[in-house]
Amino acid sequence: MKILAIIGSGDLGQQIAHYAISDGHYQKVVFFDDYNNEISINGYSIVGNSNAIVDAFSMNIFDELIIGIGYKHLSIRKALFEKFENVIPFGKIVHSSSWIDKTATVRDGCVIYPSCIIDASAIISNNTILNIGCTVSHDTIVGKHCFLSPRVALAGFINVEEMCILGINSTVIDNIHIVSETKIGGGTVVIKSINEAGLYVGNPHRLIR
């Protein structure tokens, strides 16, 4: 029996748990949570906080780890991944309804929700989440610890650096570079490279803060 541990038992963690079980990637899920003192949630056990993870792994309580902390706390996602990287094996979930080209790469710690498309030679870097219906075209790189909301569309030859948030229905044209820690608002159309971190909205995109 393959057991997944998820850090964070909130809404995102519960969604990941659902896909982990319902899509057949794991047979059991347990949670670690620093803020929930309950013993279970929606039938899944909460077995401790993040300080208990290493000991729990050594006792074979779980096999692989995924971080279920969302876009509002990307710095925490990054810190937790780096804390446990090379200490505990990270899992990944690619939903069976998504299409991943055989030349594409999805790295450890990632969660790919239903109906995503990842085209030839694209790379999804560690600890990144693609929500429902995202498209990542050929030769595009999505950096570590990013969060793509539903129906994000990335054209070819894009480089999205780490810890970026792309809002629902946002679109990025080809040959664009997006600097780390950029936030793209819902429905935004990015037509040229972004070299200053901030929040961008509109069509075409503009910096608002």
Side-chain angles (χ1 to χ4, degrees):
M1 182 169 65
K2 192 175 181 182
I3 303 172
L4 174 67
I6 300 174
I7 304 178
S9 62
D11 291 338
L12 180 66
Q14 291 176 54
Q15 289 174 10
I16 294 170
H18 169 72
Y19 292 131
I21 298 297
S22 66
D23 204 41
H25 300 272
Y26 297 88
Q27 287 70 55
K28 182 180 177 180
V29 170
V30 297
F31 282 109
F32 292 88
D33 199 303
D34 291 334
Y35 302 100
N36 189 338
N37 295 319
E38 301 295 324
I39 61 171
S40 67
I41 187 164
N42 285 342
Y44 301 110
S45 297
I46 302 174
V47 296
N49 59 32
S50 60
N51 292 324
I53 289 173
V54 173
D55 286 344
F57 178 70
S58 69
M59 293 186 288
N60 298 315
I61 290 175
F62 68 92
D63 301 294
E64 294 178 339
L65 185 64
I66 283 177
I67 299 172
I69 296 170
Y71 64 89
K72 294 182 180 179
H73 305 287
L74 290 188
S75 60
I76 297 175
R77 281 186 65 85
K78 178 180 179 180
L80 287 168
F81 184 84
E82 291 177 346
K83 177 179 180 179
F84 296 112
E85 187 180 19
N86 302 320
V87 177
I88 292 172
F90 275 84
K92 63 182 172 184
I93 295 172
V94 178
H95 195 273
S96 60
S97 65
S98 290
W99 179 80
I100 315 298
D101 187 84
K102 64 181 181 180
T103 64
T105 301
V106 178
R107 297 203 165 119
D108 291 342
C110 291
V111 180
I112 310 300
Y113 276 54
S115 301
C116 292
I117 297 172
I118 302 175
D119 201 2
S121 300
I123 297 172
I124 311 300
S125 303
N126 301 93
N127 197 33
T128 281
I129 292 177
L130 272 60
N131 214 303
I132 295 170
C134 290
T135 299
V136 179
S137 296
H138 62 90
D139 301 285
T140 283
I141 300 171
V142 181
K144 295 179 179 180
H145 325 297
C146 288
F147 189 98
L148 276 60
S149 302
R151 296 186 301 279
V152 167
L154 302 180
F157 297 105
I158 293 169
N159 184 9
V160 180
E161 292 187 356
E162 69 173 33
M163 295 178 64
C164 290
I165 302 168
L166 280 65
I168 187 169
N169 282 326
S170 57
T171 300
V172 184
I173 69 167
D174 58 297
N175 292 285
I176 293 290
H177 178 267
I178 298 177
V179 72
S180 295
E181 300 185 50
T182 295
K183 298 178 181 179
I184 306 296
T188 299
V189 179
V190 179
I191 63 168
K192 62 181 180 179
S193 291
I194 294 175
N195 299 311
E196 177 186 358
L199 173 61
Y200 293 81
V201 300
N203 180 9
H205 73 279
R206 66 187 187 278
L207 175 65
I208 63 171
R209 69 172 184 266

